[in-house]
Amino acid sequence: MAGMTDLPGDPLPDSRALESASPELARALDALGGQLVWRIGKDEASDDVVVRLGFASATPRFAHLPRLRSAGDAELQAALAENRVVIEWVD
């Protein structure tokens, strides 16, 4: 999973650095990833792509947020290139 602050133009993590991560860190990141849920789509009021992220325990709260329209790969790529991506943490 890409880091939450990765934006177009930011260098991607070097695969050697990821491979050299300690086994404890790798296990912790795997465990964290298994506890997260997310929704990705376009905002109803704008063309921004919204990434909603939260712990699995917050899943019911996702239903109370404004709906997101589906977005295809090309729309996601364009939004990334134009810095039109909004990341929301759902508690």
Side-chain angles (χ1 to χ4, degrees), residues 52-68:
R52 292 187 177 139
L53 179 67
F55 288 111
S57 59
T59 300
R61 290 185 280 287
F62 278 72
H64 299 286
L65 297 170
R67 294 185 64 87
L68 297 175

Side-chain angles (χ1 to χ4, degrees), residues 4-77:
M4 294 301 295
T5 59
D6 288 352
L7 295 174
D10 286 351
L12 294 174
D14 186 325
S15 62
R16 291 176 303 234
L18 295 175
E19 291 169 1
S20 67
S22 71
E24 296 83 18
L25 176 59
R27 281 192 294 276
L29 291 174
D30 278 342
L32 176 62
Q35 297 176 29
L36 296 175
V37 294
W38 58 90
R39 299 287 181 268
I40 301 173
K42 292 181 82 175
D43 186 295
E44 294 254 338
S46 72
D47 275 345
D48 291 344
V49 170
V50 178
V51 179
R52 292 187 177 139
L53 179 67
F55 288 111
S57 59
T59 300
R61 290 185 280 287
F62 278 72
H64 299 286
L65 297 170
R67 294 185 64 87
L68 297 175
R69 298 176 303 178
S70 63
D73 288 345
E75 292 172 300
L76 295 174
Q77 293 281 345

Side-chain angles (χ1 to χ4, degrees), residues 72-90:
D73 288 345
E75 292 172 300
L76 295 174
Q77 293 281 345
L80 281 169
E82 297 166 10
N83 291 324
R84 293 184 295 106
V85 177
V86 177
I87 299 173
E88 298 177 354
W89 180 258
V90 180

